[in-house]
Amino acid sequence: MVHCSCVLFRKYGNFIDKLRLFTRGGSGGMGYPRLGGEGGKGGDVWVVAQNRMTLKQLKDRYPQKRFVAGVGANSKISALKGSKGKDCEIPVPVGISVTDENGKIIGELNKENDRILVAQGGLGGKLLTNFLPLKGQKRIIHLDLKLIADVGLVGFPNAGKSSLLSCVSHAKPAIADYAFTTLKPELGKIMYSDFKQISVADLPGLIEGAHMNKGMGHKFLKHIERTRQLLFVVDISGFQLSSHTQYRTAFETIILLTKELELYKEELQTKPALLAVNKMDLPDAQDKFHELMSQLQNPKDFLHLFEKNMIPERTVEFQHIIPISAVTGEGIEELKNCIRKSLDEQANQENDALHKKQLLNLWISDTISSTEPPSKHAVTTSKMDII
């Protein structure tokens, strides 16, 4: 068994996951027509990923949210080639998606020091421009934070996700007995005895209709795109959002969660998934768990109980199903071990796939080079020459 100690990873205060910025590349410098001198190019505007950076820090540091690069130097007798204007760098957190005003993705920053050019500087004055400088590119950009974590907790409100996160990582998310406990993402990190660290994200609770942006809607679903694996958390006693909504059993909850993910983006269903069945300390929990296991083993036998529009195209196959109680600690160590095992298996599969791809590329490269006809300038050697 792998023993774990735990530590708080990160908590977001006044969480911001979107920002709209104005960017403009610097104007070019003036040319020098009489001597054919060229003005310097205007500076460029870059978005650069930095660890320990948040969008709130960016907003506080640059309240005007305007980023303009430096102007290129004019051409002059002492320096006919004007120097380039100073670039402008916008520091952002890792895990940012950058889009333009029309929603077109410019790029993504997935690790520290990743950088994206968002506004180019204008050309300096030269013969091509009649020695007149050009203005820099002007662009409105949107920064959209999609959290990157190893594991994303998926569950309807009150499933016990916040309690589970505090249990596995000593993070201290707000926990209360009402429908929308988690209003902003919370990140915890499991620390293992061999110094392995696994980050776990508790994301704002889903509700039915989230794919249509009801409740937290897309605010939740966009974050889950950037987690490597999913950990479904369901209440063994079922779920009811309010007295005005329908009661759902644990099995129905799983089906509906699956459907919400599918309707938002089908690729989410291809992520490896685990299932934590929470609140096993409640009365009759064991009987309900046995019933749930039989339903999960033959889900198609029970799908007739659902309305047609609630049935997902494909049901999730869980790599591990672990009964737990975030209150008593039952099953928590086993859950940590299963998370570790599942992530290690995924890493091995990804490494094997990469190795096979590299071998295939090498084979294709060798095949192409061996089938190419020799050039007319190539030196050929006959058997007689060798003798």
Side-chain angles (χ1 to χ4, degrees):
M1 177 178 285
V2 182
H3 296 286
C4 325
S5 62
C6 311
V7 70
L8 175 66
F9 176 44
R10 186 184 297 162
K11 269 188 89 172
Y12 289 87
N14 301 324
F15 183 72
I16 295 175
D17 62 2
K18 278 186 176 182
L19 267 185
R20 180 178 182 269
L21 308 178
F22 172 86
T23 66
R24 188 174 69 212
S27 297
M30 288 289 293
Y32 202 118
R34 192 158 58 86
L35 298 176
E38 296 184 359
K41 180 182 178 295
D44 302 316
V45 182
W46 297 82
V47 176
V48 183
Q50 293 182 3
N51 285 336
R52 294 182 294 278
M53 186 69 192
T54 68
L55 289 182
K56 184 178 186 304
Q57 288 175 331
L58 178 64
K59 185 181 177 185
D60 291 346
R61 196 181 300 176
Y62 305 99
Q64 300 300 319
K65 295 182 285 184
R66 287 176 60 88
F67 297 88
V68 180
V71 175
N74 294 335
S75 174
K76 52 189 177 182
I77 293 176
S78 58
L80 288 177
K81 177 69 176 176
S83 57
K84 184 178 184 290
K86 186 177 180 182
D87 285 352
C88 173
E89 294 190 350
I90 306 172
V92 301
V94 172
I96 284 288
S97 176
V98 185
T99 56
D100 65 14
E101 192 77 313
N102 299 316
K104 182 181 177 183
I105 294 179
I106 301 170
E108 295 185 341
L109 301 112
N110 295 317
K111 61 182 186 298
E112 188 173 20
N113 296 324
D114 276 0
R115 52 200 294 123
I116 297 170
L117 177 64
V118 292
Q120 290 187 327
L123 290 175
K126 57 178 72 177
L127 183 62
L128 184 68
T129 66
N130 204 23
F131 296 98
L132 296 173
L134 301 183
K135 291 183 178 180
Q137 181 183 13
K138 193 178 355 179
R139 206 176 204 184
I140 301 289
I141 63 168
H142 294 262
L143 304 180
D144 200 19
L145 176 65
K146 298 181 180 181
L147 292 175
I148 296 178
D150 293 312
V151 179
L153 304 184
V154 179
F156 285 138
N158 254 24
K161 296 190 285 91
S162 295
S163 299
L164 176 58
L165 182 71
S166 64
C167 190
V168 299
S169 71
H170 289 188
K172 295 179 175 59
I175 299 170
D177 189 22
Y178 56 90
F180 293 104
T181 304
T182 307
L183 299 179
K184 62 181 185 291
E186 300 280 356
L187 280 175
K189 187 167 276 194
I190 306 172
M191 305 283 289
Y192 292 84
S193 57
D194 61 351
F195 305 107
K196 171 80 172 180
Q197 300 180 15
I198 290 175
S199 56
V200 182
D202 175 22
L203 307 168
L206 278 167
I207 64 170
E208 289 182 49
H211 67 280
M212 296 183 292
N213 215 15
K214 288 184 181 177
M216 286 293 186
H218 291 175
K219 201 176 182 70
F220 167 91
L221 290 163
K222 72 172 186 183
H223 288 308
I224 206 169
E225 289 182 61
R226 291 256 185 116
T227 57
R228 297 184 65 207
Q229 297 200 352
L230 308 181
L231 175 58
F232 283 60
V233 184
V234 300
D235 183 337
I236 187 58
S237 61
F239 170 69
Q240 186 172 14
L241 183 63
S242 71
S243 58
H244 305 293
T245 59
Q246 192 172 338
Y247 165 78
R248 304 295 188 190
T249 66
F251 178 66
E252 288 173 330
T253 300
I254 293 166
I255 295 298
L256 289 171
L257 286 170
T258 305
K259 187 64 177 179
E260 287 298 334
L261 298 185
E262 175 188 281
L263 290 171
Y264 176 71
K265 190 169 283 189
E266 285 185 31
E267 299 93 276
L268 290 179
Q269 290 178 288
T270 64
K271 287 180 182 288
L274 293 80
L275 172 62
V277 183
N278 195 18
K279 306 189 182 181
M280 290 298 295
D281 54 294
L282 296 176
D284 302 326
Q286 286 295 338
D287 292 338
K288 289 179 179 177
F289 182 72
H290 290 312
E291 181 184 357
L292 175 63
M293 288 301 292
S294 67
Q295 290 169 323
L296 290 173
Q297 284 163 6
N298 302 288
K300 290 181 180 177
D301 294 346
F302 300 91
L303 292 180
H304 67 276
L305 301 172
F306 296 85
E307 295 173 25
K308 194 171 182 180
N309 63 348
M310 292 167 55
I311 302 173
E313 293 293 324
R314 50 182 284 186
T315 53
V316 175
E317 292 185 13
F318 296 107
Q319 295 186 339
H320 301 278
I321 299 174
I322 311 99
I324 66 164
S325 169
V327 174
T328 66
E330 175 191 344
I332 296 299
E333 284 302 316
E334 183 186 354
L335 175 61
K336 292 175 184 175
N337 295 334
C338 288
I339 291 171
R340 170 75 182 268
K341 182 180 178 183
S342 181
L343 283 165
D344 285 347
E345 287 172 353
Q346 183 181 357
N348 290 336
Q349 288 171 1
E350 288 171 355
N351 288 337
D352 288 346
L354 178 62
H355 184 59
K356 287 177 181 176
K357 185 177 179 181
Q358 289 172 336
L359 286 175
L360 180 62
N361 289 339
L362 187 62
W363 178 80
I364 291 171
S365 176
D366 288 346
T367 303
I368 291 172
S369 60
S370 64
T371 56
E372 283 179 350
S375 69
K376 58 184 178 181
H377 301 295
V379 177
T380 56
T381 307
S382 67
K383 290 182 181 179
M384 290 298 293
D385 292 328
I386 297 171
I387 295 171

